[in-house]
């Protein structure tokens, strides 16, 4: 659904479109600045105040990012002014903002006709508020499977951003700029959005269905087309593993030929490479979600937690619980 029906008339009105940013503790500075600076640049290029913004925190206190930089908030959940759009921004520590007050505030905003946005893990807030049931939403690849596990009724996607009715979601990082340029296009038109993109040396405004991740060819420095295709298939089936023979057959190779390609270009076997991908993803889930070890084992395609833990220990030289414990200890020390 296009947002032009909702906001098209505001581009010609004298009143600026007001956008509220709810900043959770330890929000990522890059995602927030990408969103905010797109609006600043819009005002500069349009030579008028097309947009205004307010910064909102749970209690109205300082909005401190994960980098330690902070900004004074303009309002709290209790006294936030009426906004046309409210965008929540959160990072790894997103659960620290969980509260009935936040969820009821989001529910009220949506009931009042506000457009709601969420960047990266802030998508969890909208889901916990019951606003994403049956809706498409985008979330960072690192948290995608954990989100799907917790909210099976939400249509989570690995698109870079998603629009579903009055809900916008971004997978985070630099993608947030693309989502904001889409929003600006709906309100002010394509010309302004392209001029903003040029100002940021952003050579192409990405579309919703573009890939979040760096292509396999570049990430693993692989220049063999069929090998790259197999790696992509592996990455796309980490949680429902496919047999090596089936992977080889899918690209017109024998298992022996595929084995030789992996040895020549990556110095390992297809099976070990596949296990490595799955282990790295399981580690992401350990570090960035609250899923139990047993739940992570199931999500990653292992029949039992003990089976998963054995592979994990072989790969990382420590058990999954030790990884999680060390990470939590390091975060406490950093604070």
């Amino acid at each position: 659904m296009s947002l032009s029906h909702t906001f098209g008339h505001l581009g010609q009105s004298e009143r600026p479109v007001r956008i509220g940013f709810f900043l959770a503790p330890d929000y990522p500075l890059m995602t927030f600045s990408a969103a905010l600076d797109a609006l600043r640049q819009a005002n500069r290029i349009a030579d008028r105040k097309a947009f205004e913004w307010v910064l909102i925190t749970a209690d109205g206190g300082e909005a401190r990012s994960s980098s330690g930089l902070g900004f004074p908030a303009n309002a709290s959940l209790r006294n936030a002014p009426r906004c046309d759009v409210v965008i929540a921004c959160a990072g790894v520590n997103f659960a620290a903002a969980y509260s009935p007050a936040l969820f009821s505030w989001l529910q009220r905003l949506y009931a009042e006709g506000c457009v709601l946005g969420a960047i990266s893990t802030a998508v969890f807030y909208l889901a916990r508020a019951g606003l994403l049931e049956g809706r498409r939403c985008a979330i960072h690849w690192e948290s995608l499977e954990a989100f799907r596990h917790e909210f099976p009724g939400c249509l989570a996607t690995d698109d870079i951003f998603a629009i579903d009715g009055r809900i916008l979601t971004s997978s985070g990082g630099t993608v947030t700029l693309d989502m904001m340029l889409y929003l600006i296009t709906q309100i002010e038109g394509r010309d302004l959005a392209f001029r903003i993109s040029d100002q940021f040396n952003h050579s192409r405004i990405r579309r919703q269905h573009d890939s979040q991740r760096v292509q396999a060819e570049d990430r693993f420095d692989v220049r063999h087309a069929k090998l790259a295709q197999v790696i992509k298939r592996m990455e796309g089936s980490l949680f429902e593993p496919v047999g090596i023979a089936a992977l080889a057959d899918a690209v017109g190779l024998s298992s022996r030929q595929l084995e030789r390609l992996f040895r020549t270009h990556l110095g390992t076997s297809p099976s070990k490479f596949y296990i490595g991908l799955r282990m790295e993803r399981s580690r992401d889930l350990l570090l960035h979600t609250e899923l139990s070890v047993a739940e992570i084992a199931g999500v990653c395609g292992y029949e039992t937690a003990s089976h998963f833990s054995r592979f994990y220990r072989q790969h990382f030289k420590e058990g999954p619980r030790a990884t999680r414990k060390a990470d939590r200890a390091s975060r406490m020390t950093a604070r």
Side-chain angles (χ1 to χ4, degrees):
M1 174 183 174
S2 170
L3 294 179
S4 58
H5 177 73
T6 305
F7 282 140
H9 65 287
L10 293 178
Q12 284 72 48
S13 71
E14 294 183 2
R15 182 178 72 83
V17 174
R18 179 181 290 161
I19 298 184
F21 291 99
F22 172 73
L23 301 176
D26 300 328
Y27 66 91
L29 191 58
M30 174 184 282
T31 56
F32 170 57
S33 61
L36 183 64
D37 228 30
L39 302 178
R40 178 197 63 80
Q41 196 69 264
N43 287 350
R44 172 179 171 267
I45 294 173
D47 197 26
R48 60 186 171 85
K49 193 176 182 181
F51 299 95
E52 63 182 16
W53 47 86
V54 293
L55 307 187
I56 304 163
T57 58
D59 60 1
E62 184 184 46
R64 184 167 291 275
S65 70
S66 57
S67 64
L69 295 176
F71 301 95
N74 303 113
S76 67
L77 298 180
R78 186 174 53 82
N79 63 10
R82 188 175 182 86
C83 297
D84 301 298
V85 184
V86 168
I87 299 173
C89 183
V92 172
N93 196 26
F94 64 93
Y98 279 177
S99 72
L102 172 61
F103 303 140
S104 61
W105 180 65
L106 292 171
Q107 291 164 352
R108 178 173 59 80
L109 290 176
Y110 192 74
E112 292 173 351
C114 184
V115 168
L116 293 181
I119 297 172
S120 190
T121 53
V123 176
F124 280 88
Y125 303 154
L126 299 185
R128 287 236 167 182
L131 299 173
L132 291 181
E133 194 73 15
R135 291 185 179 274
R136 284 178 61 80
C137 57
I139 189 167
H140 193 281
W141 59 266
E142 193 174 70
S143 304
L144 179 59
E145 290 306 321
F147 182 89
R148 284 174 171 166
H149 182 80
E150 185 173 351
F151 304 105
C154 302
L155 306 180
T157 171
D158 61 358
D159 293 345
I160 61 170
F161 67 93
I163 313 292
D164 194 325
R166 287 187 285 114
I167 300 231
L168 306 85
T169 49
S170 158
S171 57
T174 60
V175 167
T176 304
L177 175 59
D178 299 281
M179 186 185 79
M180 295 303 293
L181 291 173
Y182 175 90
L183 180 61
I184 290 168
T185 296
Q186 304 308 314
I187 300 170
E188 290 286 334
R190 290 170 58 87
D191 180 65
L192 180 59
F194 280 117
R195 291 174 67 189
I196 295 169
S197 188
D198 278 343
Q199 283 293 324
F200 289 141
N201 293 328
H202 191 59
S203 60
R204 184 177 75 89
I205 299 178
R206 289 173 286 184
R207 302 186 180 190
Q208 296 179 48
H209 305 304
D210 280 6
S211 174
Q212 289 187 27
R213 304 195 69 185
V214 175
Q215 295 300 306
E217 293 93 328
D218 296 322
R219 192 159 62 255
F220 299 106
D221 195 22
V222 168
R223 294 295 174 261
H224 191 286
K226 290 189 175 183
L227 180 57
Q229 288 177 43
V230 170
I231 293 173
K232 288 177 185 177
R233 288 176 180 271
M234 287 178 170
E235 290 184 319
S237 57
L238 295 179
F239 308 102
E240 293 182 359
V242 179
I244 300 302
L247 289 169
D249 186 63
V251 295
L253 295 174
S254 68
S255 296
R256 183 172 295 179
Q257 287 173 318
L258 186 61
E259 180 86 22
R260 189 157 48 243
L261 278 176
F262 268 86
R263 293 287 182 188
T264 300
H265 294 274
L266 295 168
T268 189
S269 69
S271 296
K272 287 184 178 179
F273 185 84
Y274 206 173
I275 289 172
L277 291 177
R278 293 169 69 194
M279 288 295 102
E280 290 295 337
R281 186 59 57 86
S282 69
R283 188 172 187 274
D284 288 336
L285 293 174
L286 280 166
L287 298 179
H288 304 303
T289 76
E290 296 301 316
L291 295 177
S292 68
V293 172
E295 287 172 326
I296 291 172
V299 167
C300 292
Y302 290 91
E303 293 183 1
T304 65
S306 60
H307 188 214
F308 161 68
S309 295
R310 185 167 64 253
F311 275 97
Y312 189 95
R313 190 173 287 105
Q314 288 173 357
H315 190 80
F316 290 111
K317 310 306 179 188
E318 67 177 9
R321 289 181 177 82
T323 295
R324 177 169 276 174
K325 184 178 180 180
D327 176 67
R328 288 175 176 171
S330 67
R331 289 192 202 180
M332 293 298 294
T333 302
R335 290 179 186 175

